[in-house]
Structure formats: C-alpha cells, structure tokens
Amino acid sequence: MPSVISSDEWDLPRLKASIGFEDDVQYLASDDQDTEFFDVKFYPYGDVTHDPVFAAVSKKHVVVYRLSNKANPPYELVQLFRDDDKEALNCSCTWTKDPETEVPYLCVAGRDAKIKVYDVVHGKLVKVLVGHGGEINDLATCPTNFLLIASASEDTTVRIWSLDPVHSKQPCVCLLAGEGHSSGLLTVAFHNSGRYVLSAGHDNVICLWTLPDLPPEPNGKNPQKPIVIHYPHFFTSEVHSGIVDCVAFFGDLVLSRACHEDIIVLWRIEGFSSHDPPPEISDAPTTSDTERLTRSAFAPATASACPPQYTRLLEFWTPHCGHQFYLRFKLFHDKDKHPVLAFGNAKAMIFFWDLARLGSYHDFISEVRDPYRDKSQPIHRPGWLVPIQHRHKGDAVSKLKDAASDRESVASGRTGSVDVETHLDVNTNYSQETLETWELKYDMTRVEEPIRAHSQSNITVKDFVGRQVAWSAGGEWCVVVGSKNLAIILQRWHKKDRGDDKEKKPS
C-alpha cells in the first residue's frame, strides 16, 4: 500500500448552509415578481482572523451577514436596508470605507442610475452619486485606493468616482466613454495595480482602459471636470459571440464569459504587461479601421505583419446556463494560496476549479512518462487524482471502502492527500477511462476541449440560478447568491466535522 501524506491545501469548498430571505414581492410592482439576489461581496478590509462579513443585494433589500464556525447556523444577520425609492431596483454592490473614520461603507446601485453609499455600522444613507444616464449594472472598488469606485452602465460608459472629500463637489473624476462600447455595459473590473479597467456588455465587446492620473485637489471655487477617455487601449469583439456579462483579471491575464457559450475563457492580451509603464492616452488605437474586430496598443497590427493581438489559453466548462445572462464567476486569488475559480449555473450547480491542479497534473504526468527517470524511486500522485474503480456486485466490503473513499475525495472536496507510488507506468497502472477523465479535468494542452470542474456542489432547490459568487479574504468561505432569494454558504478547511456535507435547510 502506498503511504499517505496529509495536506488540506487542495481542499475545495463544500456545502455548509443556505439562507432564505423574505420575499421581495410585496415591495415590487405587480408586473415584476422575480425575487433574486443579484450581487454579493465580502468586506475586504477586515482582519483575516476575524469572522468574515458579506453583503447581498436584491432588488429592494441589502442584507449583511457575519459567518462563524462557532455558531449554528453559521451565520448571523447584522444589518438590513430596504431601498424605498420608487424607481430603485438594485443589482450591484461594492465595499469601501469612510475616508476619515474607516467605518465600513457599502455602495449599491441599479435601475435608477444612482450609487447609494450606506454607512453599514449605523444603518444610514450617507451619500448619493448621480451622473449616469442609464441603469448601473456593476460596481467595483479600486484595489489600491478604496476611495475610487468604478461603475458600468446601460449608457455605454464606465465612470470612476472618488469618495475623497477633496472631490466632494465633483465626485466623478474620470469618464471612460466615446469609442469603446456601442451598447449597455454589464461588467467592470480593476487590475490589481489599480491602473487598468476591463469593461464588457451587450455589444459582445471587451475593452481594456488605462486610467490617467486623477485630477489634484481643485485650486479654485469651481471643481475640475472629469477626465474623458475616448479610446480604450485594447478592444475586441472576437473572444465571445454573445453578451459578455463577467470579466476579471487573473494577474495580467483575462477571464471572461458570455451567455449561450457555456464556457469561461482564460486569455492573454499580447504585449500587455502591468510591469511596463502605462501607455499614453495618445497610444490608444482609434476606429479609423472599422472592420478590425480587435484593436490593441500593446501589439499593433501593421500592413506588412499582423501578429496575434490576443491568445486564447484555456476554457472552463459551465454547462446548463441556457439563455441566462448576468451569471458571474469569481476567482479567489491570493499569492500564498491556490487560485480557485467558482461559478454557479442556471440548474442549481456550483462548479470549482483549482488552477494549481493544472500545473501539478502536468508535472505528475511528465514525471511518469519521463523515459529517463529512475523507476525505483517513488512518484507522488496527488490525492485528487482519484483512479476510477467500478464496484463489484455482492462485495459489501468493497462497496463500503469505495463509499468512504468517495466521501473523502471527490464528493466532499477534501482531496489533499498524496499517494507515493513506485514502478508506475501510466498506461499500465490506470485504465483508459481514468486517464480520459483526468485529461478532461486537468490537461492544459487540449485548448479546444473545455476543462471540466474539479468539484461540483448540487443545490437541492430546483432550478436555482447562481447570479454571483464571493470569496472571503482568506478563501475559507464562499457564498453564491441568486434566484429564490437564496444565499448558499460553502466552506473549506474547517476540521470540526468532515461528515457534515449536507446542505442545511433555508431559514
């Protein structure tokens, strides 16, 4: 028998509980009966050793919960807002802080084109930002300056807002507009450097914008006008063929998805590096060549040579999304932990991919197939690479062993052990079915084949639609919100009860 090295760094979240909130119908018009949470965000500025807090937004309500291992159920409602504005139907939120007291603030926006800033501790509205000419569909906070907020709107623009008191007379400090998008926007994301912004929406286009240096403190009585950026430094309508409803940076790479495609795409903007000096505004390509579907300042196309301006790297399979859009993935990305991608589809399924497994699988297979390796030396097979073993009828002992193995590995998400094996030949030791299953989940070389989820959680509520995913700062907790006014709580690394894998009933 191979020896086992215990480790939980490879664990993926498992169902812990679910929260059902009161019906919004009584606060909505008779022709608008849908009740859903559309967005969820964890407070990112707290001590990682403290119990994490998240906010979820439905059309008329904002709820704030604290999660804890010491409580049963593991959540506590700490704040509740109801938006009584007649025109308000909210769908997005993002966290920030009071610039002086650092009291947690939550920005909320939606159909009425206003960004409402709430003091979460005292439960009061402290500021309203206006300027968009259409519904606001997404909000994001700058990772390097919590006073900067980006908003993506149906009016085809991204606005950058400053909550710094020096900009109180003109809080909109930058406008990303003009020749970027031709239809309403659904998603916006900052680069970790805070210098670049991605936007996308109904026109199938993804743009990368470079933020300028923001205006200084105004000298006179009149506030400075917002800086207007007319052209993005990268523009493409080729990555997706449908409405793009979620974009994010993964380092300098890009993750994006579009409805009808059932995939999340990881791709690279050729020539783009955040380590290089930011390009000048004048470097942005114009629309002089309207037939070009991709325009880039980082790998310019010329008449004599047209190098690739972007490269598709990987696809992640997200089945059963159908016609739905406004379904959003979330990447947990911490320099000291594995990057993990999470997504909820339209059929009550939540998918997880541990991106570190892709490289680990490549290393394992390369080592096994190395013709020059010393076959007397052991090879470490990661515990999440579980060989497929079909159960034999009538063998009760085998059934019990297999069932226990399943619970501790694939089904539970606890796949951190490492088997040490010797005299290993991949084609001899493992069945063709096992090898094909591993390839579908972990092989990065098959670019044309979307990577299957490494772990999947099935929700017992029929046809639950996962609208948005959020990760706690330390990556222990994951929350998925969506239809039925449900918030699904998932957790990993908790040692109290390994057998507690069943979803709690909505409260």
Side-chain angles (χ1 to χ4, degrees):
M1 292 289 293
S3 61
V4 175
I5 303 170
S6 179
S7 170
D8 63 4
E9 64 178 338
W10 300 98
D11 284 357
L12 292 171
R14 301 177 296 154
L15 291 171
K16 183 73 173 179
S18 60
I19 305 171
F21 187 64
E22 69 173 77
D23 205 334
D24 265 3
V25 170
Q26 59 180 310
Y27 302 106
L28 301 175
S30 59
D31 61 345
D32 191 1
Q33 299 296 299
D34 287 340
T35 58
E36 297 187 79
F37 281 122
F38 285 100
D39 203 0
V40 60
K41 300 282 174 60
F42 275 91
Y43 182 66
Y45 308 114
D47 189 321
V48 293
T49 63
H50 294 172
D51 291 337
V53 170
F54 73 86
V57 175
S58 66
K59 292 181 179 180
K60 284 294 184 182
H61 290 95
V62 179
V63 293
V64 181
Y65 282 91
R66 178 182 290 110
L67 299 177
S68 174
N69 282 320
K70 300 176 182 178
N72 187 19
Y75 53 82
E76 175 193 5
L77 179 66
V78 295
Q79 192 58 271
L80 167 66
F81 307 100
R82 192 177 82 237
D83 193 332
D84 291 319
D85 281 2
K86 185 177 180 180
E87 300 300 321
L89 292 175
N90 296 313
C91 62
S92 58
C93 67
T94 194
W95 288 94
T96 182
K97 296 184 289 185
D98 182 284
E100 297 175 355
T101 66
E102 296 198 352
V103 167
Y105 280 0
L106 185 72
C107 304
V108 178
R111 183 177 293 180
D112 62 1
K114 302 174 183 177
I115 301 175
K116 298 169 184 177
V117 184
Y118 292 94
D119 177 333
V120 174
V121 172
H122 301 98
K124 63 180 181 180
L125 181 68
V126 296
K127 188 183 294 286
V128 178
L129 304 175
V130 295
H132 274 299
E135 180 173 356
I136 298 172
N137 291 317
D138 201 14
L139 296 171
T141 304
C142 178
T144 59
N145 182 353
F146 63 83
L147 296 178
L148 292 182
I149 308 297
S151 56
S153 171
E154 285 288 335
D155 67 8
T156 77
T157 71
V158 172
R159 286 179 179 253
I160 308 297
W161 308 85
S162 173
L163 299 182
D164 192 316
V166 304
H167 297 126
S168 59
K169 292 184 179 180
Q170 176 53 275
C172 181
V173 293
C174 186
L175 185 63
L176 311 179
E179 301 300 327
H181 293 279
S182 59
S183 296
L185 301 185
L186 292 171
T187 178
V188 64
F190 276 98
H191 187 275
N192 281 340
S193 66
R195 194 67 175 189
Y196 303 97
V197 169
L198 291 171
S199 61
H202 287 279
D203 56 4
N204 306 358
V205 168
I206 299 173
C207 291
L208 180 147
W209 309 80
T210 304
L211 295 186
D213 294 327
L214 296 180
E217 182 177 350
N219 295 322
K221 295 182 179 180
N222 297 324
Q224 290 188 326
K225 294 182 179 180
I227 299 172
V228 180
I229 306 298
H230 292 283
Y231 298 102
H233 281 93
F234 180 86
F235 166 106
T236 186
S237 60
E238 292 184 280
V239 174
H240 296 287
S241 60
I243 297 170
V244 183
D245 55 8
C246 192
V247 292
F249 281 104
F250 175 27
D252 284 351
L253 305 179
V254 179
L255 285 160
S256 58
R257 78 164 295 273
C259 67
H260 302 297
E261 292 184 351
D262 282 352
I263 54 172
I264 298 168
V265 182
L266 177 67
W267 51 285
R268 177 177 60 232
I269 298 174
E270 294 296 342
F272 170 68
S273 172
S274 59
H275 298 293
D276 294 337
E280 299 292 334
I281 292 177
S282 58
D283 294 335
T286 66
T287 54
S288 57
D289 186 352
T290 57
E291 295 184 358
R292 190 172 295 282
L293 301 179
T294 299
R295 302 190 295 271
S296 176
F298 307 103
T302 63
S304 58
C306 293
Q309 296 180 306
Y310 74 93
T311 302
R312 296 172 77 101
L313 302 174
L314 293 174
E315 296 178 351
F316 302 92
W317 194 43
T318 58
H320 308 302
C321 293
H323 66 281
Q324 292 275 357
F325 70 93
Y326 216 76
L327 306 179
R328 293 143 181 281
F329 58 81
K330 187 65 175 181
L331 178 71
F332 172 73
H333 190 201
D334 182 281
K335 63 182 178 64
D336 297 322
K337 298 184 177 72
H338 296 180
V340 178
L341 180 64
F343 178 77
N345 72 359
K347 289 292 184 180
M349 301 173 188
I350 301 171
F351 305 117
F352 294 96
W353 295 264
D354 182 341
L355 304 189
R357 293 188 184 187
L358 306 180
S360 182
Y361 170 79
H362 177 270
D363 293 342
F364 169 72
I365 291 296
S366 297
E367 185 177 8
V368 169
R369 290 176 172 166
D370 181 1
Y372 303 107
R373 71 178 176 86
D374 184 351
K375 294 190 177 182
S376 67
Q377 295 300 311
I379 290 179
H380 299 267
R381 173 174 60 81
W384 39 265
L385 279 178
V386 181
I388 296 175
Q389 297 178 348
H390 295 287
R391 297 166 186 171
H392 303 288
K393 292 182 179 180
D395 187 347
V397 175
S398 295
K399 289 181 179 179
L400 288 173
K401 287 182 178 179
D402 288 345
S405 175
D406 285 347
R407 283 196 300 272
E408 286 299 306
S409 57
V410 179
S412 70
R414 292 191 177 275
T415 54
S417 61
V418 177
D419 289 342
V420 182
E421 300 171 323
T422 57
H423 306 294
L424 187 65
D425 180 84
V426 70
N427 294 312
T428 302
N429 288 60
Y430 304 120
S431 68
Q432 188 63 29
E433 183 181 6
T434 291
L435 295 175
E436 288 177 356
T437 300
W438 287 355
E439 288 174 354
L440 286 173
K441 287 187 174 184
Y442 307 115
D443 190 351
M444 295 184 292
T445 65
R446 310 196 319 174
V447 179
E448 74 288 348
E449 189 72 44
I451 294 174
R452 269 51 171 179
H454 300 164
S455 177
Q456 175 180 321
S457 292
N458 297 322
I459 311 305
T460 57
V461 178
K462 184 180 179 182
D463 294 336
F464 170 77
V465 178
R467 291 293 181 191
Q468 179 62 286
V469 183
W471 289 93
S472 62
E476 178 183 2
W477 297 90
C478 180
V479 175
V480 181
V481 301
S483 61
K484 322 290 185 182
N485 267 13
L486 278 179
I488 307 300
I489 313 298
L490 304 101
Q491 187 187 22
R492 57 178 173 167
W493 303 329
H494 181 43
K495 305 298 185 184
K496 181 178 179 181
D497 186 358
R498 286 196 169 207
D500 185 19
D501 291 333
K502 293 185 178 180
E503 174 193 4
K504 303 285 192 304
K505 295 291 185 182
S507 61

